[in-house]
DNA sequence: GGAAACAGGACGCCAAAAGTCCTATTTGAG
DNA sequence: CTCAAATAGGACTTTTGGCGTCCTGTTTCC
């Protein structure tokens, strides 16, 4: 439905919470984040693992461990979060170089013409930071194109 | 996955074919469209029914009936097609006035802040016409904002 | 009157998402 | 040195929604 998956949605919320806590220099663990976000612990854990694999957060193992932001929320564009959970941002499967996937590739009247559209969506999502989505008070701004908020 | 549904994808292809045929003043029926599109007849029929309900095409019943475009492809923005098949364009369920859907509504740190993002996506999709996606030779242009193609 | 074609809905299958859980590994504290 | 806390990684089950198909009714031309 042109909707983000729930995990992606959760990720934004979790990142927002992490931003609040980490701004105070603290490291936050899963139980605390789950409580603050109103989500189930296993779900939050799953979200954080994916965020860690994408390099958006840093996991600190061992007792007194937890998670920490790799960059400030101002430096995390929405497109990065979405890509981590949903893969490359493209409205159709037949993106640029993807050949062979479509059976009617030869006669498709829209072949190759989705690329500008996908680029527009990507640009729009790259122009919004997680900080703008969270209620984060304006901290130091990143060098990023900013959407007309 | 931030992907269009297959039906939406088919719809663009079918509209493109309809544009070619209708430019010659003809009315096209389901079997012919299915053949030209390389899709199964029941699928094409389903697509056309939805397009007709959305007012994008006009169904002519009875023998020698078929489908005809309600407007030229230049006047059909991509957003109209997507809305017909996927509902309102919004990345999250908690859009503007939608209250009560989210259980953690009260404490959500991103509450209400998705709206500008959704608007940006909508604008981007409204700026592309089906004619631009199809290989349609440039006909008379509609009064529509056009994406940087 | 009959055939061709759309209108509208209902049904079943399947794939992907979503949520949960288990085990291994790491690390700090006592 | 041992234990507990916490992440890493994967596997598994349930559920949801897309997708394709089909059936019945209605309309219209020949």
């Amino acid at each position: 439905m042109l909707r983000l998956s729930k995990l992606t949605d959760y990720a934004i919320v979790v990142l927002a919470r992490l931003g609040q806590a980490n701004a105070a220099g603290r490291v936050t663990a899963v139980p605390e984040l789950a409580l603050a976000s109103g989500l189930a612990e296993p779900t939050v854990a799953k979200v954080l693992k994916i965020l860690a694999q994408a390099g958006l957060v840093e996991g600190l193992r061992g007792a007194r461990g937890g998670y920490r932001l790799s960059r400030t929320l101002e430096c995390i564009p929405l497109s990065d979060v979405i890509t981590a959970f949903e893969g490359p941002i493209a409205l159709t499967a037949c993106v640029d170089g993807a050949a062979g996937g479509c059976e009617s590739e030869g006669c498709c009247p829209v072949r190759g013409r989705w690329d500008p559209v996908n680029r527009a969506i990507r640009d729009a999502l790259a122009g919004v930071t997680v900080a703008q989505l969270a209620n984060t008070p304006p901290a130091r701004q990143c060098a990023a194109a900013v959407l007309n908020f």
Side-chain angles (χ1 to χ4, degrees), chain A:
Chain A
M1 291 185 277
L2 204 50
R3 293 277 156 84
L4 260 30
S5 77
K6 285 193 182 184
L7 284 191
T8 312
D9 208 347
Y10 298 160
I12 305 289
V13 175
V14 168
L15 282 173
R17 295 290 179 198
L18 259 183
Q20 293 177 347
N22 288 182
R26 299 194 305 106
V27 168
T28 319
V30 167
E32 185 182 350
L33 273 174
L35 196 64
S37 313
L39 302 171
E41 284 194 24
T43 303
V44 173
K46 190 177 204 172
V47 165
L48 285 165
K49 281 179 226 174
I50 296 173
L51 285 173
Q53 283 182 333
L56 295 179
V57 304
E58 193 182 351
L60 307 174
R61 304 177 66 158
R64 318 275 300 192
Y67 287 95
R68 183 167 41 182
L69 289 175
S70 298
R71 342 168 198 160
T72 68
L73 295 186
E74 283 81 17
C75 302
I76 301 182
L78 196 45
S79 52
D80 280 14
V81 184
I82 295 177
T83 301
F85 284 85
E86 328 239 350
I89 295 175
L91 292 183
T92 57
C94 55
V95 72
D96 294 274
C102 185
E103 65 272 2
S104 53
E105 200 172 36
C107 65
C108 182
V110 295
R111 174 150 179 68
R113 302 190 153 254
W114 277 101
D115 296 347
V117 182
N118 290 330
R119 212 176 311 130
I121 303 289
R122 264 195 294 268
D123 289 349
L125 293 174
V128 187
T129 70
V130 178
Q132 288 173 305
L133 248 57
N135 238 327
T136 311
R140 56 198 171 288
Q141 192 86 3
C142 214
V146 167
L147 200 68
N148 181 23
F149 246 76

